[in-house]
Amino acid sequence: MHRIAASSVDWKAIRADFPILREQAHGHPLIYFDSAATSQKPRIVIEALRNFYEHENANVHRGLHTLSSRATEAYEKSRKRVAEYIGAASADEIVFTRGTTESINLVAQAWGGKFIREGDVILLTEMEHHSNLVPWQLLAERTGARLRFVPVRDNGTLDLDQLPSLLKSDVKLFAFTHISNSLGTINPVAQLCEKAHAVGALSLVDAAQSAGHLPMDVRVLGCDFLAFSGHKMCGPTGIGVLYGRADILDSMPPYHGGGEMIVSVALEKSAFKKAPHRFEAGTPSIAGAIGLAAAIDYIEQIGRAAIFEHDSQLARYAADRLTELAGTRVFGPKEERGALVGFVMDAAHPHDLTTFADQYGLAMRGGHHCNQPLMRRFGVSGTTRASFYFYNTVEEIDRMIEILHAAVRFFS
Ligand code: 7TS
């Protein structure tokens, strides 16, 4: 049985930073095990949003009045904060988007539209979230490019033995997830980026499940693009990030057209700003960016190494304890895993199981988790997923196991 190591952080005290964790569901204390879908928000982030709307709200980059300067300054300061957080060389490498999905679509449309030709290959993996799959399918349809996939082994890791036959000089981009949102697998990002570069391909990392969970430096990882969402890392919804290496962003045409992204506009033709502003058409999520910077400050205060240790231990503890339950199949690697565990039980369908658990205040997710090809690979239509963050506790996992025992009795 995996043991939880003592850590210098007072994790129980941290729970008090999250007002929503005091909620009840169906008369039971809420156990929130759905942070892979979206994390909860600490008071300090909620207050940053409120402070912005009470003291700084105006549109950015447009007005010459005091509030507009305050808003612009706060928005651009947030961009710098994000750059520091992921080790980017400059704030110009940070594009604010709505989230991971939009970040990947931006690359597929703007970079893919310019550089991908018929016969080129985009290499993906079998464990990609639909948002790192469908944009490439659309690009392939438009351009005649082909998609290729790194298979997943039974233990939930990528079958990298296949890489030499898949990652060849016809591959222009290797796009893969850092942490699988269904299996918890942590992929060897630096190694994969290096292999991509060795054949002249660029790399894109989907960091939706990792950006708020572990230390990350894009220059150490060696990736060309990195995408993540604010709402999965204590930030607000509607704000996300695309990191792109400066020279690559500079080579890309705009994604959306409109205000904010132009230098001058004539009726027939326009001149565009440099990156990153060229990719931010229209009024951005100003409050979102400011909230994300507050979330980053909060996460950094705790420390990403400590968060990773805590979360991954919880996930391994949960995976171990789930094996106590008869007729339960746990997915993903045994040794190292991100902050989640997916499983199926003979006793009940994932939808019935999660509905049952909700009656006891336990929030999990049942279904395909936007991983339909991966579910098919494992011969299931869906799984039940418990996903954790640093505000979760061992006691909550013990309670989950009790509830699942009750589910087995109820359904059989
Ligand atoms: N990539 C991965 C690996 C994800 O887990 C998700 C969201 C996305 C991309 C898309 O992020 P978005 O913020 O643009 O929506 N994953 C999940 C999930 O597992 N359950 O709900 C959303």
Side-chain angles (χ1 to χ4, degrees):
M1 179 66 62
H2 191 77
R3 299 228 174 271
I4 301 291
S7 156
S8 56
V9 182
D10 186 351
W11 299 108
K12 294 238 165 68
I14 277 175
R15 286 177 64 81
D17 296 341
F18 292 80
I20 209 169
L21 296 180
R22 292 197 297 267
E23 288 295 306
Q24 300 224 326
H26 298 288
H28 295 273
L30 171 71
I31 299 179
Y32 188 74
F33 281 177
D34 199 16
S35 292
T38 197
S39 80
Q40 295 303 349
K41 323 301 174 199
R43 191 176 288 104
I44 204 157
V45 169
I46 300 167
E47 276 168 9
L49 296 175
R50 186 187 164 120
N51 180 66
F52 169 73
Y53 284 120
E54 286 188 351
H55 300 289
E56 296 172 334
N57 179 52
N59 212 328
V60 290
H61 305 137
R62 294 183 194 207
L64 290 175
H65 57 78
T66 304
L67 285 189
S68 179
S69 326
R70 276 188 208 163
T72 305
E73 205 175 295
Y75 181 67
E76 290 305 325
K77 204 170 133 200
S78 302
R79 196 190 302 279
K80 283 203 189 79
R81 192 70 189 93
V82 171
E84 281 163 20
Y85 182 72
I86 59 166
S90 143
D92 290 344
E93 296 184 316
I94 304 301
V95 182
F96 282 125
T97 63
R98 283 193 297 129
T100 310
T101 303
E102 190 180 35
S103 298
I104 297 173
N105 275 281
L106 195 168
V107 177
Q109 297 229 11
W111 176 84
K114 180 163 175 189
F115 294 107
I116 293 300
R117 299 272 170 275
E118 188 175 350
D120 288 343
V121 175
I122 308 289
L123 182 61
L124 305 166
T125 86
E126 258 182 351
M127 64 168 75
E128 296 315 310
H129 187 277
H130 295 168
S131 64
N132 195 27
L133 208 51
V134 183
W136 306 115
Q137 294 172 351
L138 295 174
L139 175 68
E141 269 169 36
R142 278 199 306 277
T143 60
R146 289 169 296 147
L147 306 180
R148 220 175 262 156
F149 302 92
V150 181
V152 173
R153 293 195 187 97
D154 289 343
N155 70 2
T157 60
L158 290 177
D159 187 354
L160 297 180
D161 294 343
Q162 306 289 327
L163 218 48
S165 64
L166 299 169
L167 185 52
K168 297 182 296 192
S169 60
D170 53 1
V171 174
K172 299 294 177 249
L173 180 80
F174 185 12
F176 53 89
T177 192
H178 192 172
I179 297 183
S180 159
N181 63 308
S182 285
L183 302 170
T185 315
I186 305 175
N187 289 321
V189 174
Q191 185 194 338
L192 299 183
C193 292
E194 197 183 318
K195 286 195 188 310
H197 291 159
V199 297
L202 298 186
S203 56
L204 180 148
V205 179
D206 174 350
Q209 296 296 344
S210 58
H213 288 266
L214 44 75
M216 177 181 297
D217 184 313
V218 287
R219 282 181 286 180
V220 173
L221 295 177
C223 57
D224 300 297
F225 296 108
L226 183 110
F228 59 96
S229 303
H231 70 93
K232 292 186 201 283
M233 47 182 287
C234 296
T237 51
I239 186 76
V241 171
L242 172 69
Y243 157 81
R245 238 179 52 205
D247 56 319
I248 302 172
L249 285 185
D250 281 341
S251 72
M252 286 161 50
Y255 166 50
H256 289 153
E260 305 265 11
M261 48 80 76
I262 50 85
V263 176
S264 68
V265 176
L267 282 178
E268 305 287 346
K269 201 166 166 50
S270 302
F272 308 117
K273 284 184 180 164
K274 294 204 306 196
H277 306 285
R278 183 191 304 160
F279 303 107
E280 294 178 7
T283 301
S285 175
I286 308 164
I290 290 164
L292 174 58
I296 286 176
D297 286 343
Y298 179 77
I299 286 173
E300 293 256 88
Q301 214 183 320
I302 299 170
R304 277 177 281 177
I307 290 173
F308 178 65
E309 189 191 350
H310 177 266
D311 292 3
S312 55
Q313 284 184 358
L314 280 185
R316 274 186 286 175
Y317 178 76
D320 277 350
R321 288 224 55 197
L322 279 166
T323 59
E324 285 172 22
L325 291 148
T328 301
R329 178 179 170 201
V330 178
F331 296 87
K334 284 215 163 33
E335 295 312 312
E336 200 183 43
R337 64 162 68 228
L340 59 93
V341 56
F343 58 96
V344 289
M345 295 175 79
D346 293 344
H349 186 275
H351 287 162
D352 296 327
L353 206 56
T354 46
T355 306
F356 180 89
D358 183 56
Q359 298 302 307
Y360 294 87
L362 170 59
M364 297 190 294
R365 181 159 288 234
H368 56 65
H369 316 294
C370 298
N371 274 142
Q372 283 186 4
L374 183 68
M375 296 295 134
R376 224 165 275 133
R377 147 75 184 85
F378 281 98
V380 293
S381 61
T383 66
T384 301
R385 182 185 70 187
S387 59
F388 314 110
Y389 212 2
F390 54 83
Y391 41 67
N392 293 122
T393 65
V394 177
E395 289 74 18
E396 288 180 316
I397 291 173
D398 291 339
R399 179 72 186 130
M400 171 182 81
I401 299 295
E402 278 173 26
I403 293 166
L404 292 175
H405 274 298
V408 172
R409 288 193 297 274
F410 178 83
F411 287 106
S412 21

